[in-house]
Amino acid sequence: MKRLKSIRKISYLLLTLTVICGLLAGCGTSMDASGSGEEANHFYVENESGAHTCTMAISCTAVLDNMDQFAAKKKAFVPQDGILLAETTVAFEEGDTVYDVLTATCQKAGILMEAAYTPLYGSYYVEGINQLYEFDGGELSGWTYRVNGEYLNYGASSVKVADGDKIEWLYTCDLGRDVGNTAVGETTK
């Protein structure tokens, strides 16, 4: 009898976890402003009086020239124009970092983002955005960022955001060279 109750409890727990995971998996889609159910590629954060603002954009346009490097299942996550998030004004708090703004923006926009903390550097490394991860587009591929047009050689969680900053996250297939980062040397392609 006790064994039967234990099995029922475990079954109930597994069923509950399955339902919760199913609900969470369905929360990644955002609607456009019309409510038509079409995927939105942008959203707007209303600026509260006195709040700090910057702009954020997320692009994987470099992937479009390198689709042959990607597995078929990954191609489904690449928008036709390569824009995951069009330039969007977002609010942030004093002391927030580029990583903080990315995390909050992706969460609000329903874009999956995954990162890992690197104790050696004391910073977070962005592994993937919208199911596009480092090395998906070859050994030199992954996410890079720039602030006000400048590529920074620091982890995004080490860089504080200032009012009016323009933050861009870009997927690169060539260590940044294909998205304009000239600090890494000549192209390998």
Side-chain angles (χ1 to χ4, degrees):
M1 190 69 152
K2 277 188 171 182
R3 183 176 165 94
L4 184 57
K5 282 186 178 182
S6 292
I7 291 173
R8 282 186 181 160
K9 283 183 181 180
I10 291 172
S11 296
Y12 180 75
L13 180 62
L14 288 174
L15 177 63
T16 303
L17 287 174
T18 303
V19 169
I20 290 171
C21 288
L23 289 172
L24 290 175
C27 292
T29 302
S30 58
M31 299 288 185
D32 67 355
S34 70
S36 67
E38 293 180 20
E39 287 288 327
N41 71 348
H42 64 277
F43 74 104
Y44 300 94
V45 176
E46 290 189 29
N47 184 11
E48 298 173 17
S49 178
H52 301 286
T53 60
C54 65
T55 62
M56 169 75 69
I58 306 172
S59 170
C60 61
T61 54
V63 171
L64 301 175
D65 293 330
N66 296 281
M67 289 298 271
D68 57 322
Q69 304 251 0
F70 287 82
K73 66 182 180 180
K74 291 293 184 169
K75 292 177 184 179
F77 296 103
V78 179
Q80 262 188 317
D81 64 357
I83 305 298
L84 295 172
L85 179 73
E87 187 172 303
T88 302
T89 299
V90 296
F92 67 92
E93 299 292 322
E94 183 74 32
D96 278 355
T97 65
V98 170
Y99 175 79
D100 296 329
V101 173
L102 174 67
T103 301
T105 302
C106 285
Q107 185 176 19
K108 289 175 185 172
I111 298 171
L112 176 70
M113 192 272 300
E114 193 169 336
Y117 184 74
T118 308
L120 178 64
Y121 299 108
S123 186
Y124 282 89
Y125 174 74
V126 175
E127 297 174 329
I129 301 174
N130 200 53
Q131 298 293 336
L132 298 174
Y133 289 85
E134 62 176 337
F135 310 127
D136 281 348
E139 63 185 25
L140 301 177
S141 67
W143 288 97
T144 188
Y145 74 98
R146 61 187 175 200
V147 178
N148 302 323
E150 182 181 348
Y151 289 94
L152 304 173
N153 196 21
Y154 307 102
S157 61
S158 300
V159 178
K160 303 278 188 212
V161 180
D163 268 327
D165 276 352
K166 178 179 179 176
I167 303 168
E168 299 168 274
W169 282 89
L170 308 156
Y171 191 89
T172 176
C173 295
D174 192 23
L175 203 58
R177 291 177 272 261
D178 55 345
V179 292
N181 188 349
T182 56
V184 293
E186 291 187 30
T187 185
T188 60
K189 295 185 178 188

